[in-house]
Amino acid sequence: MNLRIAPSVLSCDLGRLREQVQEAEAGGAEWLHVDVMDGHFVPNLTFGAPMIRALRRISDLPIDVHLMVEHPEQYLAEYADLGASVFAFHPEATTHVQRHLSAARERGMKAGLVLNPSTPVGWLEEVIDDLDLVLVMSVNPGYGGQGYLPASTGKIGRIRALLDRHQKHDVTLEVDGGITVQTIRAAHAAGADTFVAGTAVFGQPDIAGAVRALLAAAKGAE
Ligand code: DX5
Ligand code: ZN
């Protein structure tokens, strides 16, 4: 199975963004995860277009945008123009989910749906042909540094089975929240291939080493 680390810049020291992103890249990070929060969909406020623009200047890695905002579609065209590679949003945040997934693809981005811990897996089935990525929240979104919810592992397994049943072997199955060298192994064994990690990468003194440690811990599950 593919294996990819997507460090979340939410946990970066923003005054050292370039340096820290380059360290993560040197450790083998393949994507950069950007947590856009609006203070409404989640009780926290972060960044948006200026962060995507800054990262695009700093690195050539694909930018994986996770929108925790109401009406994510209002940012779709702008983020595509800025060079975002993944456009992933929560189905509770908008009404016409299928339309926006399909618009993300038309704009050349991977179309992703994000499931909160309480959001049923069955929602995916209705739009399965429109998905390039599923992002499983293993914490309730809003903050970095929370603990991995153990029920997430079973949910990842059920989503992998659903994707297999529909022969969707190219859909990325990503996990976000509380990923550490301790939790990554079970999540990978259950079928996830892409791992967001904030604290476990940028919260560590050796950022490159932290990415390598996550990769090694996940490989232990293969
Ligand atoms: C949480 C965000 C995560 C966050 C993960 O709402 O979606 O991407 O940055 O942080 P850690 O890895 O510290 O749980
Ligand atoms: Zn995220």
Side-chain angles (χ1 to χ4, degrees):
M1 199 191 304
N2 289 334
L3 174 58
R4 179 191 288 131
I5 306 295
S8 166
V9 297
L10 183 63
S11 299
C12 264
D13 173 350
L14 293 182
R16 299 170 59 217
L17 184 67
R18 178 185 299 270
E19 186 186 330
Q20 294 200 338
V21 163
Q22 285 169 351
E23 282 179 44
E25 207 168 328
E30 287 188 39
W31 285 3
L32 298 171
H33 185 82
V34 177
D35 289 303
V36 181
M37 305 187 192
D38 66 353
H40 293 276
F41 185 74
V42 289
N44 194 11
L45 196 58
T46 56
F47 32 61
M51 176 58 82
I52 298 170
R53 197 176 292 117
L55 290 173
R56 196 61 307 148
R57 281 200 293 262
I58 289 172
S59 167
D60 291 327
L61 292 183
I63 298 177
D64 174 32
V65 184
H66 173 194
L67 292 103
M68 286 157 276
V69 306
E70 302 285 354
H71 299 296
E73 66 274 13
Q74 62 192 312
Y75 302 107
L76 199 147
E78 183 183 18
Y79 290 6
D81 289 347
L82 287 172
S85 296
V86 175
F87 189 86
F89 60 94
H90 292 252
E92 296 91 343
T94 186
T95 307
H96 303 291
V97 169
Q98 191 281 336
R99 174 183 294 160
H100 308 319
L101 290 170
S102 137
R105 271 188 179 168
E106 275 166 27
R107 292 264 180 184
M109 300 184 287
K110 282 182 189 289
L113 214 52
V114 193
L115 301 189
N116 275 338
S118 60
T119 306
V121 168
W123 286 30
L124 298 172
E125 203 149 15
E126 307 302 331
V127 288
I128 195 97
D129 291 328
D130 304 292
L131 290 175
D132 299 305
L133 176 143
V134 176
L135 176 53
V136 179
M137 289 312 301
S138 38
V139 298
N140 287 289
Y143 302 95
Q146 304 182 78
Y148 180 89
L149 293 169
S152 315
T153 307
K155 190 171 190 177
I156 293 164
R158 284 182 284 125
I159 295 172
R160 176 53 70 196
L162 174 78
L163 295 174
D164 285 348
R165 208 157 57 239
H166 288 269
Q167 314 251 324
K168 298 289 180 187
H169 306 300
D170 294 336
V171 172
T172 297
L173 180 43
E174 183 175 26
V175 190
D176 184 5
I179 292 296
T180 65
V181 287
Q182 282 81 33
T183 57
I184 196 170
R185 185 184 291 242
H188 188 44
D193 50 60
T194 300
F195 300 89
V196 177
T199 310
V201 171
F202 294 116
Q204 307 305 311
D206 175 5
I207 290 171
V211 176
R212 282 192 287 266
L214 286 169
L215 287 167
K219 281 186 185 136
E222 285 177 347

